[in-house]
Amino acid sequence: MMGPKQEAQAALFYEFSLEDHVPKDHLLRSIDRFVDLSSIRAHLSDFYSHTGRPSIDPELLIRMLLVGYCFGIRSERRLCEEVHLNLAYRWFCRLDLTDRIPDHSSFSKNRHGRFRESDLLRHVFEMTVARCMREGLVGGQGFAVDASLISADVQKQNSSNPDDWAAREISPDDAPRAVREYLDTLDDEAFGAATTVKPKFTAHADPASQWTAARKGPAFFAYSTNYLIDTDHSIIMDVDASRSNKTAEVGAMRKMIDRTEERFDVKPDWIAADTAYGSEDNLVWLALKRQILPFIPVFDKGERRDGTFSRSDFTWDEENDRYICPGGKEMKHTWRTYSDPARNAPNWKARKYRALKSDCSGCALKEKCCPNAEARAVHREKYEIVRDFARQCTASEFNVTAQKRRKKVEMLFAHLKRILGLGRLRLRGPCGANDEFLLAATAQNLRKLAKIFPAPQQTRKA
């Protein structure tokens, strides 16, 4: 017989504990052991009034944001709904069953106000990095750097030619927040000062975003998230937002290396990166100014693709300041003999080394060397000695290990987009992009801590 529904009288009192209902192996239990936000009230003390109604606890807002970015919930409306319904989220946010959830508008007001003015999100990120260092996850010997494109929250339909957009009268006082931030970053080497090349389109809603086709597909507006990681356990040491071009990404790398040394007193012995970071200026900055071994392929335009000899086929003789061609003849930057040897001494400047016309005219390798010229010439850059040093680094046996460790950055980017869902930004402007990248990097470091040091499990009774 089918039994009827039992209409039981509602209980007058309930005994309910969130601690008992959150599984012992839940990810948030492992993460919670590494989240200490006790210092953020002192950090924000100057940004709150001493009178008036009490505000929402800033620790609650940060904990809710960490939940959102750890589980790919970046919509503030949906985040409030999920925290309201999910017992584990309530437990992590230190909320009881009867506590009210903050309104979604509170996040926007704090993100664009006191959080940004106080640089709170970077403070939280750096506290997480410091905790990783205390747990022994940061070796400090080898770093890797890379950048990845993240779509901006704009459409091509709301864009125009940069000259047409710049010609419009824009008042900073009446402009949207993203436009004001763009005007503030015109002198930043990671944004406006990165390059003088004008993009094809400029987005009206977010002019700091870059129109790019770097993915070899349809072009779109994007920002670059730049990661500097320690290669021992893939801990993100620093993160920075920039425009999506090589110059801006190199500028962000230098900023991150300097900031890491300033904040944590950590400078790597070597760094691995791809060819985008292999320009002469950057190799000089790393090898000479910062004393860091660059395991970076040299960005070289001296290689020929027409079958003739490239510059790498000529042997450099540093002692005699000359090149030796594949035919065994010498090439000098000048064939004159000065009475004062100092006038012919090598110095730090670009030079062109030429072979004698008589040597090239009768050479059997002329058709493969200089078929369209009377004599062959080789251009040597100002800091070619630094480029040669970088080539020696990439030709060493350790370069194989360094390049394998560099792949860990790409794995973090894949995790960022596929697991955390950061394939497209929700906030606009350089500061909005930086806020999202900081929160995502904080979440990735916390998840790494939770994976390596999970919460202790209680044995179940048989």
Side-chain angles (χ1 to χ4, degrees):
M1 181 177 66
M2 183 181 297
K5 180 181 179 182
Q6 300 294 326
E7 297 290 344
Q9 183 179 358
L12 296 177
F13 302 99
Y14 289 92
E15 183 179 352
F16 187 89
S17 174
L18 282 176
E19 183 69 30
D20 298 335
H21 286 76
V22 178
K24 299 299 182 183
D25 57 349
H26 198 282
L27 176 63
L28 286 179
R29 281 196 179 273
S30 298
I31 290 178
D32 184 66
R33 298 182 302 125
F34 303 105
V35 177
D36 182 11
L37 302 177
S38 58
S39 64
I40 67 172
R41 291 182 178 85
H43 187 81
L44 293 172
S45 60
D46 295 336
F47 298 88
Y48 283 90
S49 174
H50 298 288
T51 61
R53 296 176 57 188
S55 68
I56 300 174
D57 185 2
E59 180 177 347
L60 171 60
L61 297 179
I62 294 298
R63 283 184 173 272
M64 290 181 66
L65 286 172
L66 290 178
V67 167
Y69 278 81
C70 282
F71 292 94
I73 309 171
R74 294 167 48 243
S75 169
E76 291 156 356
R77 290 178 183 268
R78 185 186 162 205
L79 176 61
C80 293
E81 295 174 358
E82 293 293 334
V83 174
H84 175 72
L85 295 173
N86 194 300
L87 296 180
Y89 296 172
R90 279 183 172 269
W91 174 85
F92 181 80
C93 295
R94 306 295 191 262
L95 293 173
D96 203 353
L97 286 177
T98 57
D99 292 333
R100 294 186 61 183
I101 306 300
D103 189 76
H104 64 88
S105 61
S106 301
F107 291 96
S108 298
K109 292 178 180 178
N110 283 277
R111 270 185 168 183
H112 303 324
R114 55 178 64 94
F115 283 7
R116 186 161 297 168
E117 295 170 1
S118 64
D119 213 9
L120 176 65
L121 297 181
R122 178 160 291 280
H123 176 70
V124 174
F125 168 76
E126 290 177 352
M127 287 194 303
T128 306
V129 176
R131 183 59 185 268
C132 293
M133 295 176 65
R134 291 198 300 270
E135 297 294 336
L137 300 185
V138 176
Q141 285 79 34
F143 281 7
V145 65
D146 205 352
S148 183
L149 298 179
I150 305 295
S151 299
D153 186 28
V154 290
Q155 297 292 338
K156 181 182 180 298
Q157 290 76 8
N158 189 26
S159 64
S160 63
N161 183 277
D163 294 330
D164 297 338
W165 182 84
R168 296 174 10 184
E169 294 184 0
I170 301 175
S171 174
D173 297 331
D174 300 332
R177 177 185 52 81
V179 177
R180 295 196 303 270
E181 293 178 1
Y182 162 75
L183 297 175
D184 293 338
T185 57
L186 290 178
D187 296 330
D188 191 337
E189 63 178 358
F191 286 97
T195 177
T196 57
V197 178
K198 292 184 178 180
K200 188 176 181 180
F201 296 102
T202 295
H204 300 161
D206 192 357
S209 59
Q210 177 85 39
W211 178 255
T212 178
R215 291 178 178 172
K216 308 301 181 182
F220 60 100
F221 288 102
Y223 283 93
S224 284
T225 175
N226 299 269
Y227 276 8
L228 180 71
I229 73 165
D230 183 270
T231 58
D232 284 0
H233 293 90
S234 303
I235 298 299
I236 304 171
M237 299 298 296
D238 204 349
V239 58
D240 200 55
S242 72
R243 300 198 79 178
S244 300
N245 58 66
K246 293 180 181 179
T247 308
E249 292 167 0
V250 169
M253 180 210 69
R254 298 181 184 181
K255 185 192 300 184
M256 291 189 295
I257 290 177
D258 289 341
R259 188 162 49 201
T260 300
E261 184 175 9
E262 177 186 352
R263 302 290 175 86
F264 305 109
D265 194 24
V266 175
K267 189 185 79 169
D269 298 328
W270 57 269
I271 189 168
D274 56 25
T275 314
Y277 300 86
S279 63
E280 180 182 87
D281 291 342
N282 193 44
L283 293 174
V284 169
W285 187 86
L286 287 170
L288 294 184
K289 295 184 179 181
R290 307 296 284 125
Q291 303 294 313
I292 300 174
L293 294 177
F295 289 93
I296 304 174
V298 177
F299 185 74
D300 194 355
K301 294 184 178 180
E303 296 298 315
R304 295 188 174 184
R305 301 181 182 275
D306 58 356
T308 59
F309 291 131
S310 300
R311 181 170 54 189
S312 58
D313 296 318
F314 294 78
T315 304
W316 170 244
D317 182 4
E318 183 177 0
E319 183 178 355
N320 298 306
D321 188 27
R322 63 178 182 174
Y323 275 102
I324 303 299
C325 75
K329 303 298 183 179
E330 65 177 355
M331 305 171 66
K332 296 183 178 182
H333 70 90
T334 179
W335 290 90
R336 296 181 61 181
T337 303
Y338 295 98
S339 58
D340 182 8
R343 296 187 62 183
N344 201 28
N347 52 11
W348 292 93
K349 66 179 183 180
R351 285 180 168 182
K352 182 174 288 188
Y353 291 77
R354 299 176 177 86
L356 292 174
K357 180 181 177 181
S358 58
D359 290 338
C360 291
S361 60
C363 182
L365 299 175
K366 187 177 188 306
E367 291 300 320
K368 191 172 177 59
C369 184
C370 52
N372 301 321
E374 294 180 346
R376 179 63 187 265
V378 173
H379 184 79
R380 184 171 178 83
E381 301 291 344
K382 178 180 179 181
Y383 292 101
E384 191 67 25
I385 186 173
V386 179
R387 289 154 58 91
D388 288 340
F389 175 72
R391 293 186 183 100
Q392 293 177 7
C393 291
T394 55
S396 64
E397 295 181 357
F398 184 75
N399 182 63
V400 178
T401 302
Q403 295 305 320
K404 285 183 179 179
R405 293 190 174 189
R406 185 185 67 83
K407 298 294 184 181
K408 295 182 178 182
V409 191
E410 299 178 4
M411 294 298 295
L412 285 172
F413 288 144
H415 180 270
L416 175 71
K417 297 177 181 180
R418 293 182 177 273
I419 306 302
L420 302 189
L422 191 62
R424 182 184 177 91
L425 294 172
R426 294 182 61 87
L427 302 181
R428 293 175 177 173
C431 294
N434 200 50
D435 286 354
E436 290 217 57
F437 297 157
L438 280 169
L439 283 168
T442 303
Q444 287 182 291
N445 280 346
L446 288 173
R447 289 176 66 109
K448 176 66 69 172
L449 282 166
K451 179 181 179 181
I452 298 178
F453 304 107
Q457 305 294 316
Q458 294 182 354
T459 58
R460 296 182 179 181
K461 297 181 179 179

